Amino acid sequence: MKHGPIALIDDGMPVVALTPRDASYERMMNTVEEVRARDGRIVALAHEGDREIGARAWRVMTVPAAAELLSPILMAVPLQLLAYHVAVRLGRDVDQPRNLAKSVTVE
């Protein structure tokens, strides 16, 4: 969040925050507060029942609470779906993303 990314925050740019209840939770909550202080809109991905992030975020998507090592796997699915639906709403071709061939086929 330091330097460049923080300068991009405004009320028109949603910020996706991953806030699982793990060792990084307090640090992420501090980052969420930095975004809020700059009028950013927070879309949080959190564990079910997390009322603290619910009070601070514009929107909250939830995943079931799980062991710390499983949380990244559980959070990957809604992030992929979010990326897909945002791309569709923006009219992007999700079946042939631009510049994919250059990065995938180079050996």
Side-chain angles (χ1 to χ4, degrees):
M1 283 297 294
K2 302 299 177 203
H3 310 297
I6 207 162
L8 299 174
I9 297 171
D10 63 16
D11 61 354
M13 176 63 71
V15 175
V16 178
L18 306 181
T19 59
R21 285 282 189 168
D22 62 11
S24 67
Y25 186 77
E26 287 305 317
R27 191 172 53 224
M28 282 303 300
M29 293 308 283
N30 291 335
T31 301
V32 164
E33 286 301 322
E34 284 185 48
V35 172
R36 287 184 66 202
R38 289 162 177 79
D39 296 324
R41 298 172 114 187
I42 299 154
V43 178
L45 181 55
H47 285 149
E48 289 177 334
D50 186 347
R51 294 174 193 238
E52 192 173 342
I53 191 65
R56 295 178 173 158
W58 176 60
R59 296 283 189 266
V60 178
M61 299 179 292
T62 61
V63 296
E68 192 168 334
L69 291 174
L70 294 177
S71 283
I73 296 168
L74 289 175
M75 291 196 163
V77 176
L79 288 175
Q80 288 289 322
L81 289 169
L82 176 64
Y84 171 81
H85 288 288
V86 167
V88 168
R89 297 265 326 246
L90 292 174
R92 305 295 195 266
D93 185 355
V94 294
D95 293 320
Q96 293 185 347
R98 64 180 194 188
N99 300 329
L100 181 65
K102 292 178 194 173
S103 62
V104 173
T105 60
V106 175
E107 292 184 32

